[in-house]
Amino acid sequence: MDLECASQETVKQGLLARGWPPIKGFSKHVKTKVFEFFSHLIKLGQDDPRRVVHSLKAGLALTLVSLFYYYQPLYKSFGVSAMWAVITVVVVFEFSVGATLGKGVNRGLATLLAGGLAVGAHQLANLSGRIGEPIVLGFFVFLQAAVSTFVRFCPQIKARYDYGLLIFILTFSLISISGFRDDEVLELVHKRLLTVLIGGSTCVIISVLLFPVWAGQDLHNLIASNMEKLGIFLEGFGDEYFKMPEDGESKEDRPFLQGYKSVLDSKTNEDALANFARWEPRHGRFQFRHPWRQYLKIGALTRKCAYRIESLNGHLYADIQAKREIRSKIQETCTTISMESGKALKELSMAIKTMVQPFAADIHIENSKSSVKNLDTLLKSGLWDDETDLLEVVPVATVASLLIDVVTCTAEIAESVNELATMLKFEVVEPTVSPEKTETGQPKIGIS
């Protein structure tokens, strides 16, 4: 008996010995994942503290409209229809004022229009008798759903009023169908409209009055930041490209050369911010009918320049690199072009941020154009003899061509920024100008 007990105990210990490591490993894995999750949440809050504030604002809005359920006198007035106020807060409250206001206006107007049309449809259906009433109502539901859904395909409508059309379809269908079994259609419409207005107003008031986040300000800063990232790349490109690998550390360790990549995918964000900004009232330096389309034009030109920079970045890490003696012949001119273009973009970025006329940027653009002429003269003068391998010359010539394109793109961006400055009457601050000399001895405009 003792042997049998000892044997069973040994078996149990063996099972525990085999089963414990997987359990311990799984527990450790779960702890790691939980730690990573909360670390990620903390980082989200640290990257943009406005996200934390927005979460608190959303909680406050929901708490306020929930009083229509908790407070008995309010509940007697609205009944279960008070739930529409809660639903409205959940779907309308957005991160920025423009997004919240746009959704609120869409939902309010759609509910009002759909409610009025649904009452009219109900009255017409009553005239057709009890048998014809469901047929008429079904026809109206089909007609409005088909027409509204088709209109949603229109790009201009979809950009600003898509949510409103969805609410219109939903509200018209709900009231029309509910009215067939409920004779108090007007009361149903009244309660739904009132609770939607209460929920939407709560969202808008909290969004505007408590630490508002303006989509227009975000778009303004995004456009300026994107240009600055391109300028930072161009300022460092010349030195990095003409530096041979043995001259120093790897180019992979240069984070400032990668900042431009976020510009390539910024179109969706810019379009969304511009759409939200159009709903926003006047605030700070931004008027009600601010020229947001001009910001989108500048953003498109900035991305065009970023695509050229993407090609330049590819030449930094190309497997086949030209020899030092080949690069050195155009090194000074190309470095000047890159440096001046980068400075111009950074000056344009600063001009947008501070809303000051970009005179300093114009000076750097003229300097870069002067260097482009010098480069063109060098290329036409026959820098390389007949014995030079053409495959070694092509990469350098390609980089020179891309830099010339970058100067053209920078000039187009400057032109658009000047148009924006004229529209908004940017402040005029005259730069101090002094003549300098280029490497060819020609006069060059500089800022002292």
Side-chain angles (χ1 to χ4, degrees):
M1 193 69 171
D2 292 339
L3 289 174
E4 185 178 350
C5 291
S7 177
Q8 290 178 355
E9 188 66 25
T10 303
V11 171
K12 288 180 181 180
Q13 291 178 356
L15 291 174
L16 287 173
R18 288 194 299 269
W20 176 246
I23 295 174
K24 187 177 180 181
F26 176 76
S27 175
K28 185 177 180 181
H29 177 73
V30 170
K31 289 180 180 179
T32 302
K33 289 296 182 182
V34 170
F35 178 78
E36 290 177 354
F37 174 74
F38 282 102
S39 298
H40 180 65
L41 289 181
I42 293 172
K43 187 176 184 301
L44 281 176
Q46 291 175 339
D47 290 344
D48 192 349
R50 298 180 303 173
R51 294 169 180 165
V52 178
V53 176
H54 171 72
S55 303
L56 298 176
K57 288 159 60 178
L60 175 62
L62 272 175
T63 302
L64 290 177
V65 296
S66 298
L67 293 176
F68 285 89
Y69 246 71
Y70 302 145
Y71 192 51
Q72 188 64 24
L74 293 176
Y75 182 78
K76 285 183 178 179
S77 301
F78 295 98
V80 294
S81 296
M83 187 56 67
W84 286 110
V86 176
I87 295 174
T88 299
V89 170
V90 172
V91 298
V92 167
F93 203 88
E94 293 287 345
F95 184 68
S96 67
V97 173
T100 302
L101 192 57
K103 269 195 167 184
V105 171
N106 268 277
R107 189 175 181 88
L109 291 179
T111 301
L112 177 63
L113 183 60
L117 291 178
V119 170
H122 182 72
Q123 295 299 324
L124 288 175
N126 283 337
L127 299 176
S128 60
R130 198 63 185 171
I131 297 177
E133 183 178 1
I135 299 175
V136 174
L137 287 175
F139 171 75
F140 281 127
V141 170
F142 167 79
L143 182 63
Q144 66 85 22
V147 172
S148 300
T149 302
F150 182 76
V151 171
R152 289 180 62 203
F153 287 109
C154 179
Q156 293 82 359
I157 298 295
K158 191 173 185 66
R160 299 195 68 184
Y161 306 108
D162 187 62
Y163 178 70
L165 286 170
L166 282 175
I167 296 302
F168 177 83
I169 296 171
L170 174 65
T171 303
F172 186 93
S173 302
L174 285 177
I175 294 177
S176 299
I177 296 170
S178 300
F180 180 70
R181 298 293 181 185
D182 188 355
D183 293 332
E184 300 296 332
V185 180
L186 285 176
E187 184 180 356
L188 177 66
V189 173
H190 177 261
K191 286 184 177 180
R192 177 168 169 78
L193 177 60
L194 196 56
T195 50
V196 166
L197 289 177
I198 291 171
S201 300
T202 302
C203 293
V204 172
I205 291 171
I206 291 178
S207 182
V208 172
L209 297 183
L210 298 180
F211 306 100
V213 176
W214 302 103
Q217 181 70 59
D218 285 350
L219 177 62
H220 182 87
N221 294 337
L222 177 63
I223 295 298
S225 174
N226 284 346
M227 282 192 287
E228 185 178 17
K229 291 175 182 177
L230 301 191
I232 290 172
F233 176 93
L234 288 172
E235 279 189 330
F237 173 78
D239 292 336
E240 291 299 320
Y241 179 72
F242 291 101
K243 180 193 297 182
M244 298 304 289
E246 63 269 18
D247 290 341
E249 60 181 315
S250 171
K251 297 184 179 73
E252 300 286 348
D253 300 328
R254 303 284 187 168
F256 70 87
L257 294 174
Q258 308 302 321
Y260 77 92
K261 291 187 176 180
S262 62
V263 182
L264 300 172
D265 302 320
S266 63
K267 185 181 188 311
T268 302
N269 194 18
E270 290 173 8
D271 290 343
L273 289 174
N275 184 36
F276 298 150
R278 293 189 186 105
W279 290 102
E280 293 177 346
R282 182 190 180 103
H283 57 281
R285 300 173 296 177
F286 305 99
Q287 307 165 7
F288 176 65
R289 300 189 65 82
H290 205 69
W292 301 117
R293 291 186 183 276
Q294 187 67 20
Y295 281 87
L296 294 179
K297 179 181 178 182
I298 296 172
L301 292 172
T302 304
R303 280 190 301 278
K304 178 182 175 183
C305 185
Y307 293 133
R308 270 58 173 188
I309 288 177
E310 173 78 352
S311 299
L312 286 174
N313 188 59
H315 285 277
L316 279 177
Y317 306 108
D319 295 331
I320 301 177
Q321 298 285 354
K323 294 179 180 179
R324 182 190 294 271
E325 54 269 21
I326 295 178
R327 294 191 194 190
S328 61
K329 296 181 179 180
I330 61 170
Q331 176 177 351
E332 188 173 356
T333 308
C334 286
T335 301
T336 302
I337 292 173
S338 179
M339 183 67 70
E340 291 294 335
S341 297
K343 289 180 179 178
L345 287 170
K346 291 179 75 173
E347 289 290 347
L348 290 170
S349 171
M350 184 57 63
I352 289 181
K353 287 180 181 178
T354 57
M355 287 192 167
V356 172
Q357 290 283 351
F359 293 123
D362 295 336
I363 294 172
H364 289 300
I365 289 173
E366 289 302 318
N367 289 340
S368 63
K369 287 181 177 179
S370 176
S371 296
V372 166
K373 292 179 181 178
N374 295 335
L375 178 61
D376 185 58
T377 302
L378 286 172
L379 293 175
K380 289 179 179 179
S381 64
L383 290 174
W384 302 286
D385 53 41
D386 296 336
E387 297 180 357
T388 304
D389 188 356
L390 184 61
L391 292 178
E392 294 181 348
V393 175
V394 169
V396 178
T398 303
V399 168
S401 176
L402 287 170
L403 286 173
I404 293 173
D405 282 346
V406 166
V407 173
T408 303
C409 292
T410 304
E412 291 176 350
I413 294 172
E415 183 180 352
S416 295
V417 173
N418 279 314
E419 290 175 3
L420 180 66
T422 303
M423 293 177 184
L424 299 179
K425 297 181 175 60
F426 280 8
E427 182 183 356
V428 177
V429 177
E430 292 288 347
T432 304
V433 180
S434 62
E436 296 179 5
K437 294 285 184 178
T438 64
E439 65 274 10
T440 59
Q442 296 179 352
K444 169 182 161 183
I445 300 175
I447 305 174
S448 61

